[in-house]
Coordinates of all heavy atoms in Angstrom, one line a residue:
M1 N -29.5 -55.3 28.6 CA -30.3 -55.4 29.7 C -31.8 -55.8 29.2 O -32.3 -55.1 28.4 CB -30.4 -54.1 30.5 CG -31.3 -54.0 31.5 SD -31.5 -52.5 32.3 CE -30.4 -52.6 33.6
I2 N -32.5 -56.7 29.9 CA -33.7 -57.1 29.6 C -34.7 -56.3 30.4 O -34.6 -56.1 31.7 CB -34.0 -58.6 30.0 CG1 -33.1 -59.5 29.1 CG2 -35.4 -58.9 29.8 CD1 -33.1 -61.0 29.4
K3 N -35.7 -55.7 29.8 CA -36.6 -54.8 30.4 C -37.9 -55.6 30.5 O -38.4 -56.3 29.6 CB -36.9 -53.5 29.6 CG -35.7 -52.6 29.5 CD -35.9 -51.4 28.8 CE -34.7 -50.6 28.7 NZ -34.9 -49.3 28.0
K4 N -38.5 -55.6 31.7 CA -39.7 -56.4 32.0 C -41.0 -55.6 31.5 O -42.0 -56.2 31.4 CB -39.8 -56.7 33.4 CG -38.8 -57.8 33.8 CD -38.9 -58.2 35.2 CE -37.7 -59.2 35.5 NZ -37.8 -59.8 36.7
D5 N -41.0 -54.3 31.4 CA -42.0 -53.5 31.0 C -41.8 -53.0 29.6 O -41.0 -52.1 29.4 CB -42.2 -52.3 32.0 CG -43.5 -51.5 31.7 OD1 -44.2 -51.9 30.7 OD2 -43.8 -50.5 32.3
I6 N -42.6 -53.4 28.6 CA -42.4 -53.1 27.2 C -42.6 -51.5 27.0 O -42.0 -51.0 26.2 CB -43.3 -53.9 26.2 CG1 -42.9 -53.7 24.9 CG2 -44.8 -53.4 26.5 CD1 -43.4 -54.7 23.8
N7 N -43.5 -50.8 27.9 CA -43.6 -49.4 27.9 C -42.4 -48.7 28.1 O -42.3 -47.5 27.8 CB -44.8 -49.0 28.7 CG -46.1 -49.7 28.3 OD1 -46.4 -49.6 27.0 ND2 -46.8 -50.2 29.2
K8 N -41.4 -49.2 28.7 CA -40.1 -48.6 29.0 C -39.0 -48.8 27.8 O -38.0 -48.3 27.9 CB -39.5 -49.1 30.3 CG -40.4 -48.7 31.5 CD -39.6 -49.2 32.9 CE -40.5 -48.8 33.9 NZ -40.0 -49.4 35.2
S9 N -39.5 -49.6 26.9 CA -38.5 -49.7 25.7 C -38.7 -48.6 24.7 O -39.6 -47.8 24.7 CB -38.8 -51.1 25.1 OG -40.3 -51.0 24.6
T10 N -37.8 -48.6 23.7 CA -37.9 -47.6 22.7 C -39.2 -47.7 21.8 O -39.7 -48.8 21.7 CB -36.6 -47.6 21.9 OG1 -36.7 -48.8 21.1 CG2 -35.3 -47.5 22.6
G11 N -39.5 -46.6 21.2 CA -40.6 -46.6 20.2 C -40.3 -47.5 19.1 O -41.2 -48.2 18.6
R12 N -39.1 -47.6 18.5 CA -38.8 -48.5 17.6 C -39.1 -49.9 17.9 O -39.5 -50.8 17.2 CB -37.3 -48.3 16.9 CG -37.2 -47.1 16.2 CD -35.7 -47.1 15.7 NE -35.5 -45.9 14.7 CZ -34.4 -45.7 14.2 NH1 -33.3 -46.5 14.4 NH2 -34.3 -44.7 13.4
F13 N -38.7 -50.3 19.1 CA -38.8 -51.7 19.6 C -40.3 -52.0 19.7 O -40.9 -53.0 19.3 CB -38.1 -51.9 20.9 CG -38.3 -53.3 21.4 CD1 -37.4 -54.3 21.0 CD2 -39.2 -53.6 22.3 CE1 -37.5 -55.6 21.4 CE2 -39.4 -55.0 22.7 CZ -38.5 -55.9 22.4
R14 N -41.1 -51.0 20.4 CA -42.6 -51.3 20.4 C -43.2 -51.4 19.2 O -44.1 -52.3 19.0 CB -43.1 -50.1 21.4 CG -42.7 -50.2 22.8 CD -43.6 -49.3 23.7 NE -43.8 -48.0 23.1 CZ -43.0 -46.8 23.4 NH1 -41.9 -46.9 23.9 NH2 -43.3 -45.7 22.7
L15 N -42.9 -50.6 18.2 CA -43.5 -50.8 16.8 C -43.1 -52.0 16.2 O -44.0 -52.8 15.6 CB -43.1 -49.6 16.0 CG -43.8 -49.5 14.6 CD1 -45.3 -49.4 14.9 CD2 -43.4 -48.3 13.8
S16 N -41.9 -52.5 16.3 CA -41.5 -53.7 15.8 C -42.1 -54.9 16.5 O -42.6 -55.9 15.8 CB -39.9 -54.0 16.0 OG -39.2 -52.9 15.3
A17 N -42.3 -54.8 17.8 CA -43.1 -55.9 18.6 C -44.6 -55.9 18.2 O -45.2 -57.0 18.0 CB -43.1 -55.5 20.0
A18 N -45.2 -54.7 17.9 CA -46.5 -54.6 17.4 C -46.8 -55.3 16.0 O -47.6 -56.1 15.7 CB -47.0 -53.2 17.4
V19 N -45.7 -55.1 15.2 CA -45.8 -55.7 13.8 C -45.5 -57.1 13.9 O -46.3 -57.9 13.2 CB -44.6 -55.0 12.9 CG1 -44.6 -55.8 11.6 CG2 -45.0 -53.6 12.6
A20 N -44.6 -57.6 14.6 CA -44.4 -59.0 14.8 C -45.7 -59.8 15.4 O -46.0 -60.9 14.8 CB -43.1 -59.4 15.7
A21 N -46.3 -59.2 16.4 CA -47.4 -59.8 17.0 C -48.6 -59.8 16.0 O -49.3 -60.8 15.9 CB -47.8 -59.0 18.3
F22 N -48.8 -58.8 15.2 CA -49.8 -58.6 14.2 C -49.6 -59.8 13.1 O -50.5 -60.5 12.8 CB -49.8 -57.3 13.5 CG -50.8 -57.1 12.4 CD1 -52.1 -57.3 12.6 CD2 -50.3 -56.6 11.2 CE1 -53.0 -57.2 11.5 CE2 -51.2 -56.5 10.2 CZ -52.6 -56.7 10.3
G23 N -48.3 -59.9 12.7 CA -48.0 -60.9 11.8 C -48.3 -62.4 12.3 O -48.9 -63.3 11.6
E24 N -48.0 -62.5 13.6 CA -48.3 -63.9 14.2 C -49.7 -64.1 14.3 O -50.2 -65.2 14.1 CB -47.6 -63.9 15.6 CG -47.9 -65.2 16.4 CD -47.7 -66.5 15.7 OE1 -46.7 -66.5 14.8 OE2 -48.3 -67.5 15.9
L25 N -50.6 -63.1 14.6 CA -52.0 -63.1 14.7 C -52.5 -63.6 13.2 O -53.6 -64.3 13.2 CB -52.6 -61.9 15.2 CG -52.4 -61.7 16.8 CD1 -52.7 -60.2 17.2 CD2 -53.1 -62.7 17.7
L26 N -52.1 -62.9 12.3 CA -52.5 -63.2 10.9 C -52.3 -64.6 10.5 O -53.0 -65.2 9.8 CB -51.9 -62.3 9.9 CG -52.3 -60.8 9.9 CD1 -51.5 -59.9 8.9 CD2 -53.7 -60.6 9.7
R27 N -51.2 -65.2 11.1 CA -50.9 -66.6 10.8 C -51.8 -67.6 11.7 O -51.3 -68.8 11.7 CB -49.4 -66.8 11.0 CG -48.5 -66.2 10.0 CD -47.1 -66.4 10.2 NE -46.8 -67.8 10.4 CZ -46.3 -68.6 9.4 NH1 -46.2 -68.1 8.1 NH2 -45.9 -69.9 9.7
G28 N -52.6 -67.1 12.5 CA -53.3 -67.9 13.4 C -53.2 -67.8 14.8 O -53.8 -68.4 15.6
G29 N -52.1 -67.1 15.2 CA -51.8 -66.9 16.6 C -51.3 -68.0 17.4 O -51.5 -68.0 18.7
K30 N -50.7 -69.0 16.9 CA -50.2 -70.2 17.6 C -49.3 -69.8 18.8 O -49.3 -70.3 19.8 CB -49.5 -71.1 16.7 CG -49.1 -72.4 17.4 CD -48.4 -73.3 16.3 CE -47.8 -74.5 16.9 NZ -47.1 -75.4 16.0
Y31 N -48.4 -68.8 18.6 CA -47.4 -68.3 19.6 C -47.8 -66.9 20.2 O -46.9 -66.4 20.8 CB -46.1 -68.2 18.9 CG -45.6 -69.7 18.3 CD1 -45.7 -69.8 16.9 CD2 -45.2 -70.6 19.1 CE1 -45.3 -71.0 16.4 CE2 -44.9 -71.9 18.6 CZ -44.9 -72.1 17.2 OH -44.6 -73.3 16.7
S32 N -49.0 -66.5 20.0 CA -49.4 -65.2 20.5 C -49.5 -65.1 22.1 O -49.6 -64.0 22.5 CB -50.5 -64.6 19.7 OG -51.7 -65.4 20.1
N33 N -49.8 -66.2 22.6 CA -50.0 -66.3 24.1 C -50.9 -65.3 24.6 O -50.7 -64.6 25.6 CB -48.6 -66.2 24.8 CG -48.7 -66.6 26.2 OD1 -49.3 -67.4 26.5 ND2 -47.7 -66.0 27.0
G34 N -52.1 -65.2 24.0 CA -53.2 -64.3 24.4 C -53.1 -62.9 24.0 O -54.0 -62.1 24.3
F35 N -52.0 -62.6 23.3 CA -51.9 -61.2 22.7 C -52.9 -61.1 21.6 O -53.1 -61.9 20.7 CB -50.5 -61.0 22.1 CG -50.0 -59.6 22.1 CD1 -49.6 -59.1 23.3 CD2 -50.1 -58.9 20.9 CE1 -49.2 -57.7 23.4 CE2 -49.5 -57.6 21.1 CZ -49.1 -57.0 22.1
S36 N -53.7 -60.0 21.6 CA -54.8 -59.8 20.5 C -54.4 -58.7 19.6 O -53.5 -58.0 19.7 CB -56.0 -59.5 21.4 OG -55.9 -58.1 22.0
F37 N -55.3 -58.6 18.6 CA -55.2 -57.5 17.7 C -55.3 -56.1 18.4 O -54.5 -55.2 18.1 CB -56.3 -57.6 16.5 CG -56.1 -58.7 15.6 CD1 -56.9 -59.8 15.5 CD2 -55.1 -58.6 14.5 CE1 -56.8 -60.8 14.5 CE2 -54.9 -59.6 13.7 CZ -55.7 -60.6 13.6
E38 N -56.3 -56.1 19.3 CA -56.3 -54.9 20.1 C -55.1 -54.5 20.9 O -54.7 -53.4 21.0 CB -57.5 -54.9 21.0 CG -57.9 -53.7 21.8 CD -58.4 -52.6 20.9 OE1 -58.9 -52.9 19.7 OE2 -58.2 -51.3 21.2
N39 N -54.4 -55.5 21.4 CA -53.1 -55.3 22.1 C -52.1 -54.7 21.0 O -51.3 -53.9 21.4 CB -52.6 -56.6 22.7 CG -53.4 -57.1 23.8 OD1 -53.8 -58.3 23.8 ND2 -53.8 -56.2 24.8
S40 N -52.1 -55.3 19.8 CA -51.2 -54.8 18.9 C -51.4 -53.4 18.4 O -50.5 -52.6 18.3 CB -51.2 -55.7 17.6 OG -50.8 -57.0 17.8
I41 N -52.7 -53.0 18.3 CA -53.1 -51.7 18.0 C -52.7 -50.7 19.0 O -52.1 -49.7 18.9 CB -54.7 -51.6 17.8 CG1 -55.0 -52.4 16.6 CG2 -55.1 -50.1 17.8 CD1 -56.5 -52.6 16.5
K42 N -52.9 -51.0 20.4 CA -52.6 -50.2 21.5 C -51.1 -50.1 21.5 O -50.6 -48.9 21.8 CB -53.1 -50.8 22.8 CG -54.6 -50.6 22.9 CD -55.1 -51.2 24.3 CE -56.6 -51.0 24.3 NZ -57.0 -51.6 25.6
L43 N -50.3 -51.1 21.2 CA -48.8 -51.0 21.3 C -48.4 -50.1 20.3 O -47.5 -49.3 20.4 CB -48.2 -52.4 21.1 CG -46.8 -52.6 21.4 CD1 -46.3 -52.0 22.8 CD2 -46.3 -54.0 21.3
A44 N -48.8 -50.2 19.0 CA -48.5 -49.4 17.9 C -48.9 -48.0 18.2 O -48.0 -47.0 17.9 CB -49.1 -49.9 16.6
Q45 N -49.9 -47.8 18.8 CA -50.4 -46.4 19.1 C -49.6 -45.6 20.2 O -49.5 -44.5 20.3 CB -51.9 -46.3 19.5 CG -52.9 -46.6 18.4 CD -54.3 -46.7 18.9 OE1 -54.6 -47.1 19.9 NE2 -55.2 -46.2 18.0
S46 N -49.0 -46.5 21.0 CA -48.2 -46.0 22.0 C -46.7 -45.4 21.6 O -46.1 -44.6 22.3 CB -47.8 -47.1 23.1 OG -46.8 -47.9 22.6
V47 N -46.5 -45.5 20.2 CA -45.2 -45.1 19.7 C -45.5 -43.7 19.3 O -46.4 -43.4 18.5 CB -44.8 -46.0 18.5 CG1 -43.6 -45.3 17.8 CG2 -44.6 -47.4 19.0
K48 N -44.8 -42.7 19.8 CA -44.9 -41.3 19.4 C -43.9 -40.8 18.4 O -43.8 -39.5 18.2 CB -44.9 -40.5 20.7 CG -45.8 -40.8 21.7 CD -47.3 -40.7 21.3 CE -48.3 -41.2 22.3 NZ -49.5 -41.5 21.8
N49 N -43.2 -41.7 17.8 CA -42.1 -41.2 16.8 C -42.9 -40.6 15.6 O -43.9 -40.8 15.3 CB -41.4 -42.4 16.2 CG -40.5 -43.1 17.3 OD1 -40.5 -42.6 18.5 ND2 -39.8 -44.2 17.0
R50 N -42.1 -39.7 14.8 CA -42.7 -39.0 13.8 C -43.1 -40.0 12.6 O -42.2 -40.9 12.4 CB -41.6 -38.1 13.3 CG -42.2 -37.0 12.3 CD -41.2 -35.9 12.0 NE -40.5 -36.2 10.7 CZ -39.4 -35.7 10.4 NH1 -38.8 -34.8 11.0 NH2 -39.0 -36.0 9.2
D51 N -44.2 -39.8 12.0 CA -44.7 -40.8 11.0 C -45.0 -40.0 9.8 O -46.1 -39.8 9.3 CB -45.9 -41.5 11.6 CG -46.4 -42.6 10.6 OD1 -45.6 -43.0 9.8 OD2 -47.6 -43.0 10.8
T52 N -44.0 -39.5 9.2 CA -43.9 -38.6 8.0 C -44.7 -39.0 6.9 O -45.6 -38.4 6.3 CB -42.5 -38.4 7.5 OG1 -41.8 -37.8 8.5 CG2 -42.6 -37.3 6.4
F53 N -44.7 -40.4 6.5 CA -45.3 -41.0 5.4 C -46.6 -41.8 5.8 O -47.1 -42.5 5.0 CB -44.5 -41.9 4.5 CG -43.3 -41.0 4.0 CD1 -42.0 -41.2 4.6 CD2 -43.5 -40.1 3.1 CE1 -40.9 -40.4 4.1 CE2 -42.4 -39.4 2.5 CZ -41.1 -39.5 3.1
N54 N -47.0 -41.6 7.1 CA -48.2 -42.3 7.6 C -48.1 -43.7 7.6 O -49.1 -44.4 7.5 CB -49.5 -41.7 6.9 CG -50.7 -42.0 7.7 OD1 -50.8 -42.0 9.0 ND2 -51.8 -42.4 7.0
F55 N -47.0 -44.4 7.5 CA -46.8 -45.8 7.6 C -47.5 -46.4 8.9 O -48.2 -47.5 8.8 CB -45.4 -46.2 7.6 CG -44.8 -46.0 6.2 CD1 -43.5 -45.4 6.1 CD2 -45.4 -46.2 5.0 CE1 -42.9 -45.2 5.0 CE2 -44.9 -45.8 3.7 CZ -43.5 -45.3 3.7
K56 N -47.2 -45.8 10.0 CA -47.7 -46.3 11.3 C -49.4 -46.2 11.2 O -50.1 -47.1 11.6 CB -47.3 -45.6 12.4 CG -47.6 -46.2 13.8 CD -47.2 -45.5 15.0 CE -48.0 -44.2 15.2 NZ -47.7 -43.5 16.4
G57 N -49.8 -45.1 10.6 CA -51.3 -45.0 10.5 C -51.9 -46.0 9.7 O -53.0 -46.6 10.0
E58 N -51.3 -46.2 8.6 CA -51.8 -47.4 7.8 C -51.7 -48.7 8.4 O -52.6 -49.5 8.2 CB -50.9 -47.3 6.4 CG -51.2 -46.2 5.4 CD -52.7 -46.2 5.0 OE1 -53.3 -47.2 4.8 OE2 -53.2 -45.0 4.9
L59 N -50.7 -48.9 9.2 CA -50.5 -50.2 9.8 C -51.7 -50.4 10.8 O -52.3 -51.4 10.9 CB -49.2 -50.2 10.5 CG -49.0 -51.5 11.5 CD1 -49.0 -52.8 10.8 CD2 -47.8 -51.3 12.3
I60 N -52.0 -49.3 11.5 CA -53.0 -49.4 12.6 C -54.4 -49.7 11.9 O -55.3 -50.4 12.4 CB -53.1 -48.1 13.4 CG1 -51.8 -48.0 14.4 CG2 -54.3 -47.9 14.2 CD1 -51.5 -46.9 15.1
N61 N -54.6 -49.0 10.6 CA -55.8 -49.3 9.9 C -55.9 -50.7 9.6 O -57.0 -51.3 9.7 CB -55.9 -48.3 8.7 CG -56.3 -47.0 9.1 OD1 -56.9 -46.7 10.1 ND2 -55.9 -46.0 8.2
L62 N -54.8 -51.3 9.1 CA -54.8 -52.7 8.6 C -55.2 -53.7 9.9 O -55.9 -54.5 9.8 CB -53.5 -53.1 8.2 CG -53.2 -52.7 6.7 CD1 -51.7 -52.9 6.3 CD2 -54.1 -53.4 5.8
M63 N -54.5 -53.2 11.2 CA -54.9 -53.9 12.4 C -56.2 -53.9 12.7 O -56.9 -54.9 13.1 CB -53.9 -53.6 13.4 CG -52.5 -53.8 13.4 SD -51.6 -52.9 14.6 CE -50.0 -53.7 14.5
R64 N -56.8 -52.8 12.6 CA -58.2 -52.6 12.9 C -59.2 -53.4 12.1 O -60.1 -54.1 12.4 CB -58.7 -51.1 12.8 CG -58.2 -50.4 14.0 CD -58.6 -48.9 13.8 NE -58.2 -48.1 15.0 CZ -57.9 -46.8 14.9 NH1 -58.0 -46.1 13.8 NH2 -57.5 -46.2 16.0
T65 N -58.8 -53.4 10.8 CA -59.6 -54.2 9.8 C -59.5 -55.7 10.0 O -60.5 -56.4 10.1 CB -59.1 -53.9 8.4 OG1 -59.2 -52.5 8.0 CG2 -59.8 -54.7 7.3
A66 N -58.3 -56.0 10.3 CA -58.1 -57.6 10.7 C -58.8 -57.9 12.0 O -59.4 -59.0 12.0 CB -56.6 -57.8 10.8
S67 N -58.8 -57.0 12.9 CA -59.5 -57.3 14.1 C -61.1 -57.5 13.8 O -61.6 -58.4 14.4 CB -59.4 -56.2 15.1 OG -60.2 -56.2 16.3
V68 N -61.7 -56.6 13.1 CA -63.0 -56.7 12.7 C -63.3 -58.0 11.9 O -64.3 -58.6 12.3 CB -63.6 -55.4 12.0 CG1 -64.9 -55.6 11.3 CG2 -63.4 -54.2 12.7
L69 N -62.5 -58.2 11.0 CA -62.7 -59.5 10.2 C -62.5 -60.8 10.8 O -63.1 -61.9 10.6 CB -61.8 -59.4 8.9 CG -62.0 -58.4 7.9 CD1 -61.1 -58.2 6.8 CD2 -63.5 -58.5 7.3
S70 N -61.7 -60.7 11.9 CA -61.4 -61.9 12.6 C -62.5 -62.2 13.6 O -62.7 -63.3 14.2 CB -60.1 -61.7 13.5 OG -60.3 -60.9 14.6
G71 N -63.4 -61.3 13.9 CA -64.4 -61.4 14.8 C -63.9 -61.4 16.3 O -64.7 -61.9 17.2
E72 N -62.8 -60.8 16.5 CA -62.2 -60.8 17.9 C -63.1 -60.1 18.7 O -63.6 -58.9 18.5 CB -60.8 -60.0 17.7 CG -60.1 -60.0 19.1 CD -58.8 -59.2 19.0 OE1 -57.8 -60.0 18.6 OE2 -58.7 -58.1 19.1
P73 N -63.5 -60.6 19.9 CA -64.4 -60.0 20.8 C -63.8 -58.6 21.3 O -62.7 -58.5 21.6 CB -64.6 -60.9 22.0 CG -63.8 -62.2 21.7 CD -63.0 -61.8 20.4
G74 N -64.7 -57.7 21.4 CA -64.3 -56.3 21.9 C -63.4 -55.5 20.9 O -62.8 -54.5 21.4
H75 N -63.5 -55.9 19.7 CA -62.8 -55.0 18.7 C -63.4 -53.7 18.6 O -64.6 -53.5 18.9 CB -62.8 -55.6 17.2 CG -64.1 -55.6 16.6 ND1 -64.6 -54.5 16.0 CD2 -65.0 -56.5 16.4 CE1 -65.8 -54.8 15.5 NE2 -66.1 -56.0 15.8
R76 N -62.5 -52.7 18.2 CA -63.0 -51.4 18.1 C -63.8 -51.2 16.8 O -63.3 -51.6 15.8 CB -61.9 -50.4 18.1 CG -61.2 -50.2 19.5 CD -60.1 -49.2 19.3 NE -59.5 -49.1 20.6 CZ -58.5 -48.2 20.7 NH1 -58.0 -47.4 19.8 NH2 -58.0 -48.0 22.0
N77 N -65.0 -50.5 16.8 CA -65.6 -50.3 15.6 C -65.8 -48.8 15.4 O -66.7 -48.1 15.8 CB -67.1 -50.9 15.7 CG -67.8 -50.8 14.4 OD1 -67.3 -50.4 13.4 ND2 -69.1 -51.2 14.5
H78 N -64.7 -48.2 14.8 CA -64.7 -46.8 14.7 C -65.3 -46.3 13.4 O -65.3 -46.9 12.4 CB -63.2 -46.4 14.5 CG -62.4 -46.5 15.7 ND1 -62.5 -45.6 16.7 CD2 -61.3 -47.3 16.1 CE1 -61.7 -46.0 17.8 NE2 -60.9 -47.0 17.4
Q79 N -66.0 -45.2 13.6 CA -66.5 -44.4 12.4 C -65.3 -43.6 11.9 O -64.7 -42.9 12.6 CB -67.6 -43.5 12.8 CG -68.9 -44.3 13.3 CD -69.8 -44.5 12.2 OE1 -69.7 -43.8 11.1 NE2 -70.7 -45.5 12.3
Q80 N -65.0 -43.9 10.7 CA -63.8 -43.2 10.1 C -64.1 -42.4 9.0 O -64.9 -42.8 8.1 CB -62.6 -44.2 9.7 CG -62.2 -44.9 11.0 CD -61.0 -45.9 10.5 OE1 -60.9 -46.3 9.4 NE2 -60.4 -46.4 11.5
Q81 N -63.5 -41.2 8.8 CA -63.6 -40.4 7.7 C -62.3 -40.1 7.0 O -61.3 -40.3 7.6 CB -64.1 -38.9 8.1 CG -65.4 -38.9 8.8 CD -65.6 -37.5 9.3 OE1 -64.8 -36.6 9.3 NE2 -66.9 -37.3 9.9
T82 N -62.4 -40.3 5.8 CA -61.0 -40.1 5.0 C -61.0 -38.8 4.3 O -62.1 -38.3 3.8 CB -61.0 -41.3 4.0 OG1 -62.0 -41.2 3.0 CG2 -60.8 -42.6 4.6
S83 N -59.9 -38.2 4.2 CA -59.7 -37.0 3.4 C -59.4 -37.3 2.1 O -59.3 -38.5 1.7 CB -58.5 -36.2 4.1 OG -57.4 -36.9 4.1
G84 N -59.0 -36.4 1.2 CA -58.8 -36.6 -0.2 C -57.7 -37.4 -0.5 O -57.5 -38.0 -1.5
N85 N -56.7 -37.6 0.6 CA -55.4 -38.3 0.2 C -55.5 -39.6 0.9 O -54.5 -40.3 1.1 CB -54.2 -37.6 0.8 CG -54.2 -37.2 2.2 OD1 -55.2 -37.7 2.9 ND2 -53.3 -36.4 2.7
N86 N -56.7 -40.2 1.2 CA -56.9 -41.5 1.8 C -56.3 -41.7 3.2 O -56.1 -42.7 3.7 CB -56.5 -42.5 0.9 CG -57.3 -42.5 -0.4 OD1 -58.5 -42.2 -0.4 ND2 -56.7 -43.1 -1.5
M87 N -56.0 -40.6 3.9 CA -55.4 -40.7 5.2 C -56.7 -40.6 6.2 O -57.5 -39.9 5.9 CB -54.4 -39.6 5.5 CG -53.1 -39.8 4.7 SD -52.0 -38.5 4.9 CE -51.6 -38.6 6.6
V88 N -56.6 -41.4 7.1 CA -57.8 -41.4 8.1 C -57.8 -40.3 9.0 O -56.7 -40.0 9.6 CB -57.7 -42.8 8.9 CG1 -58.8 -42.7 10.0 CG2 -57.9 -44.0 8.0
V89 N -58.8 -39.6 9.2 CA -58.9 -38.6 10.2 C -59.9 -39.0 11.2 O -61.0 -39.4 11.1 CB -59.6 -37.2 9.4 CG1 -59.7 -36.2 10.4 CG2 -58.8 -36.9 8.3
E90 N -59.3 -38.9 12.5 CA -60.1 -39.3 13.7 C -60.3 -38.2 14.6 O -59.5 -37.4 14.8 CB -59.5 -40.5 14.4 CG -59.4 -41.7 13.6 CD -58.7 -42.9 14.3 OE1 -58.7 -42.9 15.5 OE2 -58.4 -43.8 13.6

């Protein structure tokens, strides 16, 4: 069944879609159809699955960095603090 609202899909699907969109944006966004780094970040953040090894957190940090470096309008400019284990604390 095709779902028209991505928010009704599984967390795994949403995270996979965020990663795929992020990869496409890194390649220049030829097929991104207006999807932005900020959209990828929001999609990844919507996933509430357990992130034992902080892979999703690291992905989101990479997305934020790419957003800032790309000069994308409206990017988030977060003040971030890191703990001793390099995990971002917000």
Side-chain angles (χ1 to χ4, degrees):
M1 171 187 272
I2 297 175
K3 296 182 181 181
K4 294 184 179 189
D5 184 2
I6 196 163
N7 295 316
K8 293 181 181 177
S9 62
T10 66
R12 284 182 177 183
F13 182 85
R14 289 193 315 273
L15 188 58
S16 297
V19 169
F22 178 54
E24 175 55 28
L25 289 166
L26 290 175
R27 292 178 49 95
K30 181 178 176 182
Y31 302 105
S32 65
N33 197 24
F35 208 77
S36 66
F37 286 108
E38 188 64 25
N39 295 131
S40 294
I41 292 166
K42 287 179 182 178
L43 190 56
Q45 287 175 327
S46 75
V47 177
K48 303 300 180 197
N49 296 358
R50 198 169 97 192
D51 189 13
T52 306
F53 300 106
N54 198 38
F55 293 138
K56 186 181 78 171
E58 289 296 325
L59 171 67
I60 291 169
N61 284 336
L62 285 172
M63 290 174 167
R64 286 180 179 152
T65 301
S67 175
V68 170
L69 293 175
S70 74
E72 182 177 275
H75 70 79
R76 292 181 176 183
N77 189 6
H78 289 292
Q79 293 271 336
Q80 297 179 344
Q81 301 172 347
T82 56
S83 63
N85 59 4
N86 294 328
M87 294 173 68
V88 174
V89 179
E90 294 186 17

